[in-house]
Amino acid sequence: LVGHGPSPSSPTTGADKREKRFRAHQGFGDHQAGVTGAHTYFYADEAKCDQHMETFLRCIDASSGSSDDGFSAIKLTALARPQFLVRFSEVLVKWRRLFHQMATEQGQAGRAVLDTKLELERLQEALASLGIASKAESQQWFTEENLGTSSTVDLLHWNSLLDSRTKLPKPLLIPNRKTGQLEPLLSRFSEEEELQMKRVLQRMDVLAKRAMEKGVRLMVDAEQSYFQPAISHLTVQTQRRFNRSQPVIYNTYQCYLKEAYNNVTGDVELSRRERWHFGTKLVRGAYMEQERERAAQMGYEDPINPTYEKTNEMYHRCLDYVLEEIRQSRRASVMVASHNEDTVKFTLRRMMELGIHPSDKKVCFGQLLGMCDQITFPLGQAGFPVYKYVPYGPVKEVLPYLSRRAQENRGFMQRANRERDLLWKEVKRRVLAGTLFSTE
């Protein structure tokens, strides 16, 4: 579980390759190379984060004034130093990998994430044999997390242990697979980085409170996969606080990632246990070329699904899971953020089969302003909650962002031609009917 690469003479294990994903890489220092779209913020001071927060606050106010039940989207790389997000992601991934390592030793390799449950007594023995914690210490951990009476520990319990252990004065040690020695899990966290953690949570707190005050829902955008564990973790922490009675905070899941389904199901299960409202925006994903280039250069497994068809399958699988949760608990909501007509049709069919009515406002749709109006307008006219996503910023940054949206949607130009044909057909109909300037 060490964060250092193998020596030139040593073989590269699968775990080594996976961990490379969460290391700093000079070639992607500004995280814009190979990206034709959205800007990722890199800066040296916290004042810039505060400026971005003020911009987001103004956007929340604008969303409140423009529509009922509005949305406003934010990027966490604008509210926290991305270098910190990469390091925190590495910590989260190492901690989860230790869980799976012990699961393998208990003969549970290959099981679905939520079906993997460690026997508590054997887990305590393993922690003691590794020198991570004595049996008395680990027993105290599990008692503090209300697991003292349980005979098994799953990944959600395990993740909650990390949250509480980071508050202890004694550093949490985990084994370095190469040296066999124990090393502090949080060894890379300086005092300044601990302050950064508090600051980003404070900024999210400010934004969430403003959103609640204004009746706006806050969507946290997904970003590159090497930031995403930290972004999702911080977003879930905010959901746990603000989604008690309604979904105010929405997390974003990128379905072109191989691990998307595990991420969705894990967070839904956490919301069930803690009885808060699960809010999500489902997207296909926006950083495919850069992700694959970085994986090839750094020698780790490509995190992206191998084909467009596999990504579609993943999207519909994740969506269907959330729709089932809506039917069963009514404590989940989803934005289907897609320009794909087949996905919209799939959603409408499943809503009908599951008895989810548009007026429930548990399912909404989103497309970019100026794109796929032939999807947006009929949905709105049929009574479905539908939103147009409005990018904002300098032209030199917004135009590349829009061009990437076209690149990531296969067949987009064909759909654009279809939309043009539909518009032209409507113009001719109105001319013949003498209602060219009618708004009906």
Side-chain angles (χ1 to χ4, degrees):
L1 295 169
V2 66
H4 304 288
S7 64
S9 59
S10 65
T12 302
T13 66
D16 287 329
K17 288 182 177 181
R18 288 190 296 271
E19 286 178 11
K20 287 182 178 181
R21 179 170 161 192
F22 301 97
R23 298 178 195 162
H25 180 219
Q26 188 64 35
F28 289 83
D30 64 0
H31 294 269
Q32 295 183 71
V35 174
T36 58
H39 183 62
T40 298
Y41 300 88
F42 267 64
Y43 37 80
D45 60 77
E46 295 291 314
K48 199 71 175 176
C49 295
D50 291 332
Q51 292 176 18
H52 295 148
M53 182 186 72
E54 291 298 326
T55 299
F56 289 146
L57 286 170
R58 291 195 296 272
C59 291
I60 291 171
D61 293 343
S63 296
S64 173
S66 62
S67 66
D68 295 331
D69 299 320
F71 281 96
S72 188
I74 64 172
K75 290 170 66 75
L76 272 192
T77 50
L79 298 174
R81 296 182 67 184
Q83 298 95 322
F84 161 74
L85 294 175
V86 171
R87 291 178 183 178
F88 188 34
S89 292
E90 181 183 17
V91 166
L92 293 168
V93 168
K94 282 186 176 183
W95 182 245
R96 294 169 194 167
R97 190 159 297 134
L98 179 58
F99 173 87
H100 290 296
Q101 176 184 327
M102 290 187 286
T104 299
E105 292 172 359
Q106 290 194 16
Q108 297 196 52
R111 288 192 182 184
V113 170
L114 292 181
D115 292 334
T116 304
K117 302 181 188 296
L118 303 183
E119 295 178 19
L120 180 56
E121 188 171 341
R122 291 180 63 185
L123 171 58
Q124 291 176 313
E125 292 172 355
L127 293 173
S129 66
L130 289 169
I132 295 174
S134 68
K135 201 160 186 178
E137 287 175 325
S138 63
Q139 182 63 49
Q140 182 182 358
W141 292 2
F142 294 112
T143 301
E144 290 172 355
E145 294 301 321
N146 299 317
L147 297 175
T149 59
S150 176
S151 61
T152 60
V153 174
D154 65 16
L155 184 60
L156 298 182
H157 296 139
W158 184 250
N159 288 340
S160 69
L161 288 174
L162 175 61
D163 292 338
S164 58
R165 297 287 74 75
T166 58
K167 301 170 186 174
L168 294 179
K170 177 182 176 182
L172 183 63
L173 304 178
I174 61 173
N176 177 326
R177 289 182 301 101
K178 289 187 172 299
T179 66
Q181 302 297 312
L182 293 177
E183 295 181 349
L185 179 65
L186 304 176
S187 60
R188 295 191 177 198
F189 272 44
S190 65
E191 184 176 340
E192 171 59 26
E193 286 168 334
E194 291 179 2
L195 286 174
Q196 288 177 32
M197 171 80 82
K198 294 178 182 178
R199 288 168 183 154
V200 66
L201 287 172
Q202 287 170 351
R203 292 182 187 110
M204 293 183 72
D205 186 80
V206 169
L207 293 170
K209 287 179 177 177
R210 179 69 68 85
M212 288 189 71
E213 175 190 337
K214 296 291 186 177
V216 172
R217 289 164 290 179
L218 205 60
M219 297 187 299
V220 180
D221 277 350
E223 304 191 49
Q224 288 94 336
S225 65
Y226 34 95
F227 296 137
Q228 200 54 43
I231 290 173
S232 286
H233 182 88
L234 294 169
T235 302
V236 168
Q237 296 309 306
T238 309
Q239 288 180 310
R240 295 169 84 178
R241 291 190 58 209
F242 290 94
N243 285 14
R244 305 307 302 185
S245 60
Q246 59 183 324
V248 176
I249 309 299
Y250 279 57
N251 203 355
T252 302
Y253 298 87
Q254 298 162 303
C255 295
Y256 70 174
L257 294 176
K258 296 173 182 176
E259 58 198 27
Y261 185 75
N262 286 339
N263 293 337
V264 170
T265 55
D267 289 347
V268 168
E269 176 60 24
L270 182 63
S271 73
R272 288 177 190 148
R273 293 182 187 182
E274 299 182 344
R275 296 194 62 76
W276 46 267
H277 288 253
F278 177 80
T280 179
K281 178 177 73 170
L282 292 181
V283 301
R284 278 175 168 75
Y287 301 94
M288 183 172 65
E289 291 183 9
Q290 187 196 23
E291 291 277 13
R292 286 183 167 159
E293 181 185 350
R294 187 177 190 270
Q297 289 190 20
M298 296 186 70
Y300 61 84
E301 181 184 350
D302 182 358
I304 307 297
N305 286 318
T307 65
Y308 182 79
E309 289 70 27
K310 287 292 183 183
T311 292
N312 280 344
E313 290 175 15
M314 179 67 78
Y315 194 108
H316 290 180
R317 187 184 183 197
C318 292
L319 175 56
D320 200 49
Y321 187 88
V322 176
L323 293 174
E324 286 281 0
E325 181 66 15
I326 292 171
R327 180 184 68 84
Q328 293 177 16
S329 74
R330 317 303 288 184
R331 296 175 69 89
S333 300
V334 59
M335 170 176 275
V336 182
S338 176
H339 299 110
N340 187 294
E341 292 184 24
D342 291 337
T343 292
V344 172
K345 291 176 181 177
F346 172 86
T347 308
L348 299 180
R349 184 179 75 251
R350 290 298 290 143
M351 287 178 67
M352 182 178 297
E353 292 169 352
L354 296 171
I356 302 171
H357 195 270
S359 62
D360 296 337
K361 296 186 177 180
K362 295 292 185 180
V363 181
C364 61
F365 298 84
Q367 290 88 40
L368 275 163
L369 180 66
M371 292 188 182
C372 293
D373 288 344
Q374 82 277 12
I375 294 177
T376 310
F377 293 158
L379 284 172
Q381 290 165 351
F384 290 89
V386 60
Y387 295 83
K388 299 303 278 189
Y389 194 104
V390 185
Y392 58 89
V395 172
K396 65 179 181 180
E397 292 181 10
V398 174
L399 284 180
Y401 172 89
L402 294 173
S403 73
R404 185 175 68 197
R405 299 273 81 77
Q407 288 179 356
E408 74 187 41
N409 286 278
R410 175 180 289 183
F412 177 81
M413 292 312 297
Q414 288 89 334
R415 290 197 297 275
N417 291 338
R418 180 182 176 188
E419 185 169 3
R420 179 201 61 194
D421 293 341
L422 289 171
L423 288 171
W424 180 237
K425 181 178 179 181
E426 177 64 11
V427 168
K428 289 192 289 186
R429 185 192 70 79
R430 292 191 181 194
V431 167
L432 293 174
T435 59
L436 180 59
F437 299 106
S438 172
T439 59
E440 297 180 358

